[in-house]
Amino acid sequence: MEIVHVYTRLRGEFGRQCLFSDRPAELLVDVPPDPRLAQDFIQKNPRDQALQACRDMSEHQVNTERFESDSCGINHVEGGWPKDINPQEMEQTIRYRKKVEKDESYVNSLLTLGSVMEHCIRQNNAVDIYQEYFEDEDEVEESPEPPSAKTINVFRDPNEVKRTVSCLSWHPDGGKLAAAYSCLQFQRSSRDMSLDSYIWDIENPNRPELTLKPASPLVCLEYNPKDSHTLVGGAYNGQIAYWDTRRGSQPVETSSVEQSHRDPVYKIIWLQSKTGTDVFSASTDGQVLWWDVRRLSEPTERLVLDLSREGNLDRALGAVSLEFESTMPTKFLVGTEQGVVVSCNRKAKTPAEKIVCSYDGHHGPVYALQRNPFFPKNFLTVGDWTARIWSEDIRDSAIMWTKYQTSYLMDACWSPVRPSVFFTVKMDGVLDVWDILFKQNDPTLSLKVCDEALYSLRLQDNGRLVACGSQQGGATLLEISSGLSTLQKNDKSLLAAMFERETKREKVLEARQREIRLKERSRSEQSREGEPGREDADHGPDQLIAKAQEDFYVVTEMERRRRDANQEKDVCEEKEVREEETSGTGPSQ
Amino acid sequence: MAEVEETLKRIQSQNGVQGIIIVNTEGIPIKTTLDNASTVQYAGLIHQLVMKARSTVRDIDPQNDLTFLRVRSKKNEIMIAPDKDYFLIVIQNPSD
């Protein structure tokens, strides 16, 4: 809207002086509020506006690129002597010192300093100012801090082409970590992929302490628990190699190709023996081989994992994990690709008796297998999307299991200090800590360690440090909070009670199953003629399959007939509708 | 001269004293009861520490000055009495 003021003057009056006069205010324009415009606005009542009479600041966070640093020391040489005195010359230095001692100020200052010093020394001797007065009372107050874990260090694969960390092994004293690097995906390894595996010092993540150079990438690697200088590793091509860290990067000995495994060696464990040089290894070619590291030219013993106990290699199950407990030296467990855990006895008299029994529970390969260090009768297996705890006595199913997770579990291990805590790693890069005394449905602590899949996991013997290895070659070292890594008072007894309870439950279920089966069998024997259509007691797998097939066909037939009937009905309806239409449109045209 | 000797002897005779070093402002050890290698190491390192401590105290308050410095470690305690021209370093093992 324009406000215009018009001012007119006669031509003849131009140039005449202005005579100003006052006049009252005149309302020129009045613009009333237009309520229609209010609809474009929303009233905000009350309004919160913060004001501050200070400078505007902004916060930025910056993460620098990895800085490679190297520590080195400087040796301090004696200095400060005046130019004319050579510090190496005893006479000159003595003469200088004597001169200083004769100085007035020296004597005076030293007397004052001496008295001050004496006062403090006497103080020290009188009272211990750092004495702990209430030491014993610390045990009583245990504020339950939420469990947490902190990443301490990440050790990255220094090569260009990143390989998966397929196995980790701690040095028996705990200061070093050996990591085996290999590419486990079939035919994905490129030509310029490095074959090396490394030993890292946990204080120095910049550079590995020692490089191990095998002939083929290592899939598993283990420190000798008795001799911390020796390691044994299983390679991708099936060979076993033995290193001594004092002798350098090349293996001291490698097994011959003809006598080794035909597939990658997935697990290798040191055995308890008098000589301390026995190892045994497992691979997906279906064999478990025992070796003496002093003579790697051929294995000392061989076992084929054929469940029919015939030693038939074609029907053998491929082994992916192995478990050996030094308290039970003749028994060991093998986890297979088919999801079956086989329990074997090494000291059996005939090869057929070597395989004692099998536990069938997983749908996929059993990637990890470990006995509980406090309760050796119970062991943990990980495969498909669950982790299961088994009791040796119950063959049919696990006594406890986790629910199906969203991604595949790759590795698991028990905590060496707390009997109820175990750790698992998954393919989405998450490390889960489970405490079955605290919560059984979900992990107690779930941490996203990295974005790529985690393939391996190992706990140090003190129970506080965990190392996990990822697909891109990064080994992450984490520290667990003390709540999860210190033994609580009732842990063992509570866990023993829990395992007992679960085992009993399974036993009861098993007994009930057997009862039902027996009943059915006896019933079917009695009344076989009377009911032809009854499901019989022949629970042989073939009959079951045939019956399942029949049921399936019957159901599909019924479904098809029903659908046909519906279709016909629809078709009839359509026809009717069309007739109506045509009849309808006909006359209207 | 004799009083200095007497003072040092008195200090040395106290419980738990492991060594005494007297250093001048340039870092030269004047008198010591330890072996040469340790003396040189202590003299060099502690000299830097005292300079840093003194400058810290004076930066915070220019009227203030360092009178005594105690470094307590797991194994022993290093006590340093600084002066204008010299400092006296005593290493003691607190016996209790």
Side-chain angles (χ1 to χ4, degrees):
Chain A
M1 187 191 21
E2 259 179 58
I3 303 177
V4 176
H5 184 90
V6 179
Y7 176 65
T8 50
R9 210 175 195 203
L10 287 177
R11 184 79 176 70
E13 287 177 10
F14 277 18
R16 194 191 282 191
Q17 72 171 136
C18 303
L19 291 168
F20 291 111
S21 61
D22 279 327
R23 73 161 183 201
E26 203 181 289
L27 184 62
L28 289 175
V29 182
D30 186 15
V31 184
D34 188 358
R36 280 181 291 122
L37 292 177
Q39 286 171 15
D40 291 336
F41 297 89
I42 302 174
Q43 194 178 55
K44 210 168 170 186
N45 193 6
R47 279 235 30 178
D48 198 353
Q49 178 77 32
L51 288 173
Q52 234 192 93
C54 74
R55 255 185 290 186
D56 269 334
M57 309 270 223
S58 72
E59 188 185 319
H60 290 277
Q61 280 182 0
V62 170
N63 209 358
T64 58
E65 274 187 22
R66 205 116 193 272
F67 179 67
E68 296 265 340
S69 63
D70 207 358
S71 327
C72 51
I74 302 183
N75 212 353
H76 204 129
V77 172
E78 220 174 307
W81 295 97
K83 258 194 244 177
D84 49 352
I85 296 182
N86 181 2
Q88 312 296 336
E89 285 266 325
M90 278 286 290
E91 286 184 23
Q92 296 187 355
T93 51
I94 291 180
R95 218 182 309 146
Y96 182 80
R97 286 200 176 106
K98 287 239 169 69
K99 192 168 61 146
V100 172
E101 281 175 19
K102 298 225 176 72
D103 193 7
E104 241 325 293
S105 64
Y106 172 79
V107 176
N108 286 338
S109 47
L110 212 53
L111 289 174
T112 27
L113 291 181
S115 54
V116 173
M117 184 61 77
E118 252 185 299
H119 172 76
C120 290
I121 292 177
R122 287 218 191 92
Q123 226 179 32
N124 264 349
N125 284 332
V127 183
D128 179 9
I129 60 177
Y130 296 105
Q131 185 184 15
E132 283 274 346
Y133 290 113
F134 302 110
E135 226 167 41
D136 301 324
E137 298 198 11
D138 280 349
E139 309 270 351
V140 182
E141 299 288 327
E142 266 179 37
S143 52
E145 49 166 77
S148 62
K150 193 167 53 154
T151 309
I152 298 182
N153 249 328
V154 182
F155 305 96
R156 292 185 211 279
D157 187 354
N159 303 322
E160 281 283 324
V161 180
K162 304 283 181 208
R163 304 151 299 157
T164 315
V165 179
S166 47
C167 186
L168 290 161
S169 171
W170 283 95
H171 189 273
D173 300 327
K176 296 199 239 215
L177 185 62
Y181 294 84
S182 58
C183 184
L184 288 174
Q185 287 168 316
F186 187 57
Q187 291 186 345
R188 284 286 175 86
S189 43
S190 59
R191 220 164 298 163
D192 40 348
M193 187 178 92
S194 151
L195 303 173
D196 302 334
S197 292
Y198 301 105
I199 297 184
W200 297 88
D201 181 347
I202 55 179
E203 312 282 326
N204 183 7
N206 296 326
R207 223 183 309 123
E209 196 186 321
L210 184 60
T211 311
L212 300 172
K213 295 187 196 293
S216 153
L218 288 179
V219 180
C220 60
L221 187 56
E222 279 291 325
Y223 261 104
N224 187 346
K226 299 278 171 61
D227 179 6
S228 50
H229 293 287
T230 52
L231 300 112
V232 77
Y236 196 69
N237 65 357
Q239 285 180 303
I240 313 285
Y242 169 69
W243 274 272
D244 188 331
T245 50
R246 295 165 292 204
R247 296 241 213 117
S249 310
Q250 295 293 330
V252 174
E253 211 186 324
T254 316
S255 63
S256 54
V257 183
E258 311 86 51
Q259 297 291 338
S260 314
H261 291 282
R262 303 255 181 280
D263 261 358
V265 180
Y266 277 99
K267 191 88 181 184
I268 190 163
I269 299 189
W270 287 88
L271 285 170
Q272 278 263 355
S273 70
K274 277 176 267 165
T275 55
T277 54
D278 287 329
V279 290
F280 70 140
S281 61
S283 152
T284 37
D285 64 355
Q287 296 180 69
V288 177
L289 299 175
W290 278 264
W291 308 81
D292 181 338
V293 289
R294 292 167 298 188
R295 249 190 67 233
L296 281 178
S297 49
E298 64 165 4
T300 53
E301 217 180 310
R302 210 180 271 264
L303 171 65
V304 176
L305 288 171
D306 180 12
L307 280 184
S308 60
R309 296 181 172 83
E310 280 168 26
N312 191 348
L313 206 54
D314 296 327
R315 280 212 267 153
L317 309 169
V320 219
S321 51
L322 207 52
E323 159 67 356
F324 173 75
E325 176 77 29
S326 37
T327 52
M328 289 199 263
T330 56
K331 291 202 283 185
F332 63 94
L333 294 170
V334 183
T336 63
E337 270 187 318
Q338 284 74 10
V340 177
V341 175
V342 184
S343 161
C344 308
N345 186 344
R346 190 181 170 190
K347 293 283 185 251
K349 296 183 198 78
T350 65
E353 278 178 34
K354 285 223 171 140
I355 298 181
V356 173
C357 60
S358 62
Y359 304 86
D360 191 358
H362 280 284
H363 308 298
V366 180
Y367 280 117
L369 176 57
Q370 200 191 6
R371 284 185 200 267
N372 189 327
F374 294 84
F375 296 96
K377 284 207 139 202
N378 298 297
F379 56 94
L380 170 69
T381 61
V382 143
D384 58 52
W385 294 270
T386 59
R388 286 168 199 266
I389 300 181
W390 302 74
S391 164
E392 262 188 355
D393 311 320
I394 312 285
R395 307 265 164 80
D396 291 339
S397 87
I399 59 173
M400 293 170 73
W401 54 90
T402 67
K403 61 181 182 209
Y404 281 90
Q405 309 286 313
T406 46
S407 52
Y408 222 81
L409 271 76
M410 291 309 291
D411 202 354
C413 63
W414 289 100
S415 161
V417 280
R418 283 200 69 187
S420 59
V421 173
F422 64 92
F423 296 76
T424 56
V425 280
K426 303 209 292 234
M427 284 206 80
D428 55 4
V430 170
L431 169 75
D432 284 330
V433 183
W434 300 77
D435 182 355
I436 45 185
L437 282 179
F438 182 68
K439 215 197 312 186
Q440 289 183 15
N441 292 332
D442 290 311
T444 307
L445 179 62
S446 198
L447 283 161
K448 187 146 180 49
V449 173
C450 56
D451 289 326
E452 58 263 8
L454 285 172
Y455 270 84
S456 53
L457 170 71
R458 213 34 116 82
L459 267 134
Q460 208 207 11
D461 288 330
N462 65 5
R464 293 201 73 144
L465 293 176
V466 180
C468 40
S470 80
Q471 203 176 13
Q472 298 294 331
T476 313
L477 186 64
L478 297 115
E479 183 176 349
I480 311 288
S481 65
S482 53
L484 289 170
S485 57
T486 40
L487 188 59
Q488 313 287 338
K489 279 174 261 183
N490 314 342
D491 260 3
K492 269 204 200 169
S493 44
L494 286 173
L495 196 66
M498 182 186 278
F499 281 150
E500 271 253 2
R501 192 181 67 218
E502 297 297 329
T503 322
K504 226 182 350 169
R505 186 193 70 145
E506 281 299 319
K507 272 207 201 115
V508 166
L509 284 176
E510 215 187 295
R512 185 93 187 102
Q513 281 282 340
R514 235 179 289 144
E515 254 185 54
I516 295 180
R517 256 184 268 143
L518 271 171
K519 239 190 266 177
E520 281 202 18
R521 206 171 293 170
S522 57
R523 237 186 296 162
S524 74
E525 280 179 11
Q526 285 175 8
S527 55
R528 192 156 292 182
E529 299 94 44
E531 281 116 333
R534 210 154 167 294
E535 281 100 61
D536 265 292
D538 276 328
H539 287 287
D542 297 331
Q543 272 90 341
L544 278 177
I545 293 176
K547 204 177 81 56
Q549 263 187 334
E550 265 179 52
D551 285 342
F552 177 68
Y553 285 135
V554 163
V555 170
T556 44
E557 259 310 304
M558 271 175 37
E559 186 62 32
R560 200 156 58 80
R561 254 179 252 144
R562 194 172 60 83
R563 206 170 295 163
D564 285 342
N566 275 353
Q567 254 188 11
E568 282 179 17
K569 224 189 342 165
D570 286 341
V571 168
C572 293
E573 283 180 9
E574 270 186 36
K575 268 206 222 136
E576 285 176 15
V577 169
R578 242 180 274 134
E579 281 174 7
E580 276 182 26
E581 279 186 6
T582 50
S583 63
T585 51
S588 64
Q589 274 182 344
Chain B
M1 192 47 209
E3 298 129 342
V4 169
E5 289 298 327
E6 204 196 299
T7 315
L8 292 180
K9 217 171 290 189
R10 227 187 16 246
I11 294 179
Q12 182 78 17
S13 64
Q14 297 280 356
N15 242 348
V17 171
Q18 287 172 344
I20 308 177
I21 308 175
I22 301 171
V23 188
N24 77 350
T25 40
E26 276 142 36
I28 304 173
I30 306 293
K31 202 157 178 66
T32 171
T33 61
L34 299 172
D35 57 290
N36 197 28
S38 321
T39 305
V40 169
Q41 215 177 5
Y42 269 107
L45 295 167
I46 290 182
H47 183 254
Q48 295 175 41
L49 184 64
V50 172
M51 291 302 136
K52 192 68 176 179
R54 184 178 273 155
S55 66
T56 306
V57 169
R58 297 192 80 152
D59 274 350
I60 294 172
D61 179 8
Q63 320 294 34
N64 211 352
D65 195 8
L66 184 68
T67 51
F68 202 81
L69 186 62
R70 281 204 214 211
V71 180
R72 191 128 181 171
S73 74
K74 267 198 281 208
K75 298 191 183 163
N76 48 25
E77 179 163 352
I78 307 172
M79 292 178 278
I80 306 147
D83 185 68
K84 197 161 62 77
D85 307 311
Y86 303 93
F87 21 104
L88 174 62
I89 303 169
V90 172
I91 300 133
Q92 189 193 20
N93 196 351
S95 40
D96 39 352

